[in-house]
Amino acid sequence: MEVSVGGRGGVSGDGGCVDLSTKHEPLGGLFNPVKEPADWSRFKLSQEQVDQFWRDGYLTNIPVLSEEQCDKILSDYQRIIEENDKLPGMDLLYEFHCNQTNDPRNVLLHCLGHWRLMPSFHDLCFMPNIAVPASQLLDPNQERKVRLWHDQLFAKPPHCGGNVAWHQDYSYWTRTVPMAHLTIHIALDAQTLDNGGLQYVPGSHRWTRDGAPLPVTDFNFKDMDSIETILTEEERANFKPVHGLLKKGQASIHHPLTVHGSKPNRSEYSRRACVVNYVADGVCSNSDEPLLKGTNLIKKGDKMEGQFYPLIYDPAWSRA
C-alpha cells in the first residue's frame, strides 16, 4: 500500500518542522564533521579495495556506523515505521510504501527522501566514511566530486519480511545521464542467510544491452526470479550470488549495474537498512519531468544540482 500524506513540514531534532534539504552540511548530531583537510584521507579505501570493486562490482563489510550511531538512526527509523500516518513532514518524502509488495505475507517497507525529515538520516548522507570512498569508486579513472542522488529505507519485519527481486539500480535511473552512480547499503541489523540479507552476483556490472542496463522486470520488487526471463545463456551460467552477510553498522558498496537482491525474512529478527545513492558531479537530467516527486524541474540536459542534490564531497577539500 502506498500512503499519501501532505501539508506538513519536516521533523527536526527538537520536534519542530523544517525541510532539511535546505541544509547542505552535516548538522553534527551523528558524527563530528571533518575540520582539517588532511583528515579526509583517513576515510579512503585501499588500492586493493578499489581494484576489487572494479573486478567484482561491489565491496562488502565496510565499517561505517558504531553501535551507538545505529541505535540513534534506528530510533528515528522506528518512528517512520510506527507513526507514518501522523508523523509531521511525511509529505516531504519522494515515496513511501508501507508494503511495496502488497502481500501481507511478504512485507517490504520502502521509502525515499527521509534525509529531508530527520537529522540522523540527513547527516548519514554526509558521512565522510561513505562519501570519500564514493569519490574513489564513481569513476575508474579519477576521483570525482560527489552529489546526493537520493536515500532509501528498506525494512523487513520478522517472519513475514518480503524479498527484493534481482535487479540493477541504473535500470530504474535512466532519467539521469551519464551513468556515474553508486549505491551504499548500510545494515542497521545484522544481515544473515535467514533474515533476507543482501546478495550480489559478481561480475554482473558488465551485463548490458547495447550499453544500456538490463530492462526492469518488476517495479515492485516482488517476483524474485523474474530477471531470469531476460538473461542470456552466458549470464545464467554466471549467475552465482554471494551473500554480503553484513554486521550491524557495516556497509556494502555496489556499482549501478551490479545485479543484487535479497530473499524474504523468515527469521525472528528485523532486517532494516539505510541506502544512500550518490552521483558524480556533472550528471544531468534526462527527463522533462521532475527527477523526484515534489522537487523542482531540472530541464533535460541540465546538471543535477541545487537544493535536492547537494555537493557531499569534493576531493579538493583534502588538499585545501
Side-chain angles (χ1 to χ4, degrees), residues 106-126:
N106 293 284
V107 177
L108 179 69
L109 179 140
H110 181 211
C111 74
L112 290 76
H114 42 284
W115 77 286
R116 302 175 64 184
L117 199 61
M118 293 177 177
S120 63
F121 295 129
H122 174 278
D123 279 13
L124 182 64
C125 298
F126 288 84

Side-chain angles (χ1 to χ4, degrees), residues 30-82:
L30 190 64
F31 65 94
N32 294 322
V34 176
K35 294 183 178 180
E36 299 297 329
D39 290 340
W40 290 103
S41 63
R42 296 189 293 113
F43 304 102
K44 282 195 171 186
L45 298 172
S46 68
Q47 187 59 49
E48 182 181 4
Q49 288 174 305
V50 173
D51 293 343
Q52 180 182 346
F53 175 85
W54 290 106
R55 183 187 72 233
D56 296 336
Y58 65 95
L59 291 173
T60 62
N61 306 107
I62 308 297
V64 171
L65 298 172
S66 67
E67 187 93 10
E68 181 181 8
Q69 288 171 318
C70 282
D71 290 343
K72 186 178 184 68
I73 292 171
L74 282 170
S75 176
D76 288 337
Y77 209 124
Q78 285 305 117
R79 289 193 66 193
I80 288 181
I81 292 174
E82 296 168 6

Side-chain angles (χ1 to χ4, degrees), residues 149 175-176 285-300 308-309:
W149 172 207
R175 63 190 185 278
T176 57
S285 169
N286 192 35
S287 173
D288 292 320
E289 301 291 335
L291 296 174
L292 297 164
K293 180 182 176 181
T295 63
N296 61 296
L297 174 65
I298 296 179
K299 293 180 180 179
K300 187 173 182 177
F308 303 106
Y309 313 102

Side-chain angles (χ1 to χ4, degrees), residues 34-44 128 132 135-136 143-145 312-320:
V34 176
K35 294 183 178 180
E36 299 297 329
D39 290 340
W40 290 103
S41 63
R42 296 189 293 113
F43 304 102
K44 282 195 171 186
V132 174
S135 175
Q136 296 176 271
E143 294 183 15
R144 298 287 297 272
K145 296 179 183 179
I312 301 293
Y313 174 67
D314 183 340
W317 297 348
S318 67
R319 303 187 294 271

Side-chain angles (χ1 to χ4, degrees), residues 78-291:
Q78 285 305 117
R79 289 193 66 193
I80 288 181
I81 292 174
E82 296 168 6
E83 304 175 28
N84 61 76
D85 59 341
K86 57 182 181 297
L87 187 66
M90 289 292 285
D91 61 316
L92 297 177
L93 299 180
Y94 307 137
E95 292 184 36
F96 182 76
H97 310 270
C98 284
N99 182 11
Q100 192 155 358
T101 73
N102 292 313
D103 181 351
R105 299 164 301 177
N106 293 284
V107 177
L108 179 69
L109 179 140
H110 181 211
C111 74
L112 290 76
H114 42 284
W115 77 286
R116 302 175 64 184
L117 199 61
M118 293 177 177
S120 63
F121 295 129
H122 174 278
D123 279 13
L124 182 64
C125 298
F126 288 84
M127 287 195 73
N129 49 355
I130 60 174
V132 174
S135 175
Q136 296 176 271
L137 299 178
L138 279 164
D139 188 319
N141 300 312
Q142 60 180 326
E143 294 183 15
R144 298 287 297 272
K145 296 179 183 179
V146 179
R147 288 191 179 274
L148 180 65
W149 172 207
H150 62 71
D151 56 354
Q152 295 170 280
L153 296 179
F154 287 98
K156 300 182 180 187
H159 306 298
C160 63
N163 56 251
V164 176
W166 300 110
H167 66 284
Q168 294 175 322
D169 285 343
Y170 190 62
S171 298
Y172 298 85
W173 296 342
T174 53
R175 63 190 185 278
T176 57
V177 291
M179 186 185 71
H181 301 59
L182 200 70
T183 300
I184 319 288
H185 178 104
I186 305 164
L188 299 178
D189 300 298
Q191 297 191 8
T192 68
L193 300 178
D194 296 326
N195 74 357
L198 198 62
Q199 300 182 52
Y200 291 109
V201 179
S204 56
H205 60 304
R206 291 184 281 271
W207 297 359
T208 63
R209 297 295 180 267
D210 297 322
L214 302 178
V216 175
T217 58
D218 186 350
F219 279 96
N220 287 321
F221 301 126
K222 186 175 180 179
D223 187 350
M224 186 75 200
D225 298 317
S226 60
I227 197 172
E228 292 182 3
T229 63
I230 60 164
L231 295 181
T232 66
E233 184 175 338
E234 181 181 0
E235 288 164 350
R236 288 193 191 95
N238 288 289
F239 199 94
K240 300 175 181 179
V242 174
H243 288 271
L245 297 178
L246 299 174
K247 296 179 180 179
K248 182 176 179 177
Q250 288 186 337
S252 56
I253 305 174
H254 64 262
H255 187 279
L257 294 182
T258 299
V259 173
H260 60 288
S262 57
K263 294 189 175 181
N265 179 9
R266 296 297 180 255
S267 76
E268 60 183 303
Y269 303 104
S270 294
R271 203 230 75 172
R272 295 160 293 185
C274 289
V275 176
V276 179
N277 301 298
Y278 291 129
V279 295
D281 182 56
V283 170
C284 296
S285 169
N286 192 35
S287 173
D288 292 320
E289 301 291 335
L291 296 174

